[in-house]
Amino acid sequence: MAAVIFDLDGTLADTSGDLLAAANHCFRDMGLGDVLGPDDAGVALRGGRMMLRTGLTRVEQMDDAVVDKYYPVLLEAYAADISSRTTLYPGVMQAIAVLSDQGYAIGICTNKPEGLAEQLMQDLGVRDAFGSLVGADTLPVRKPDPEPLFEATRRLGVDQQTCILVGDSDTDRNTARAAGVPSVLVTFGPSGEDMAALEPEALLDNYAALPSVVTALRPLA
């Protein structure tokens, strides 16, 4: 058996709308109004602290102490409204169903806190499709350290060297490289045009092609 492990934000789902709303909640609390907008989707998919830093830099008020103060506020706001603007990418669950039917084990390795990732997947009604979920705080380390990827694979009962990581960023590419396994980077996210320069083992323009890409990289015995 081989495993296909997915990043979450920007790979399985476009979560940018709910992330940006949580960040702007913080900026409004600071008296700054809505600092981030739809064009900041790529920033959103790089996490809460990145959104806070980007917004504060934009208004020339960057302060690490303010980032540290508001990061828990952002997480609380995000947990309170985590899925109303989030959508799964077209065809992703159909592709996962095909891979599962073919005998591949399916998991998630994300830098979203585990509890929030669990909540989101439950809200979207797809948690049962994934045999494992490892988040940013599941282990003492997070991506691009390869250990979370290995842990997501181990929890599936699969040899850690048989996995493929499907992601959308340099973090995912570097994680796969550190693990010595192939990466597939999606090109339909906000940073899609930058993926080719990372030289992954494969690029993915749409999820309909994923089963054939996986089979080419990790054929089942």
Side-chain angles (χ1 to χ4, degrees):
M1 181 179 281
V4 183
I5 309 297
F6 292 84
D7 174 53
L8 202 171
D9 300 87
T11 301
L12 288 173
D14 181 356
T15 56
S16 60
D18 290 307
L19 288 165
L20 289 168
N24 281 327
H25 169 85
C26 295
F27 295 131
R28 288 194 300 273
D29 191 67
M30 299 176 202
L32 301 173
D34 288 350
V35 178
L36 301 180
D39 290 343
D40 294 305
V43 176
L45 297 176
R46 298 192 74 85
R49 290 184 184 277
M50 179 61 74
M51 288 190 293
L52 292 172
R53 291 191 185 100
T54 299
L56 289 170
T57 299
R58 188 169 295 171
V59 297
E60 300 182 343
Q61 294 188 30
M62 176 55 200
D63 185 332
D64 285 332
V66 175
V67 173
D68 290 341
K69 174 184 177 182
Y70 273 94
Y71 183 62
V73 178
L74 186 153
L75 293 181
E76 183 176 355
Y78 183 54
D81 188 8
I82 198 170
S83 60
S84 64
R85 305 166 189 82
T86 289
T87 56
L88 292 162
Y89 284 112
V92 61
M93 297 315 299
Q94 292 89 335
I96 287 172
V98 171
L99 289 169
S100 296
D101 288 344
Q102 291 176 345
Y104 290 93
I106 308 295
I108 294 172
C109 181
T110 175
N111 274 351
K112 185 189 291 293
E114 181 181 348
L116 291 176
E118 287 280 0
Q119 179 184 345
L120 177 59
M121 301 312 285
Q122 294 285 354
D123 276 11
L124 295 176
V126 297
R127 178 63 181 89
D128 290 347
F130 301 90
S132 67
L133 189 159
V134 172
D137 51 357
T138 305
L139 303 177
V141 294
R142 57 191 286 174
K143 296 185 299 183
D145 190 293
E147 191 56 31
L149 176 60
F150 289 150
E151 179 66 12
T153 306
R154 284 194 296 264
R155 291 184 179 192
L156 295 169
V158 178
D159 185 318
Q160 63 191 32
Q161 291 299 328
T162 69
C163 72
I164 292 173
L165 178 59
V166 183
D168 73 314
S169 69
D170 57 342
T171 298
D172 295 311
R173 177 68 184 104
N174 292 334
T175 302
R177 182 181 286 118
V181 302
S183 62
V184 177
L185 298 182
V186 302
T187 62
F188 43 75
S191 302
E193 69 243 16
D194 302 326
M195 295 300 100
L198 299 176
E199 299 183 344
E201 281 67 30
L203 294 167
L204 188 70
D205 296 328
N206 63 79
Y207 269 113
L210 183 61
S212 61
V213 169
V214 168
T215 299
L217 291 172
R218 284 279 190 245
L220 293 174

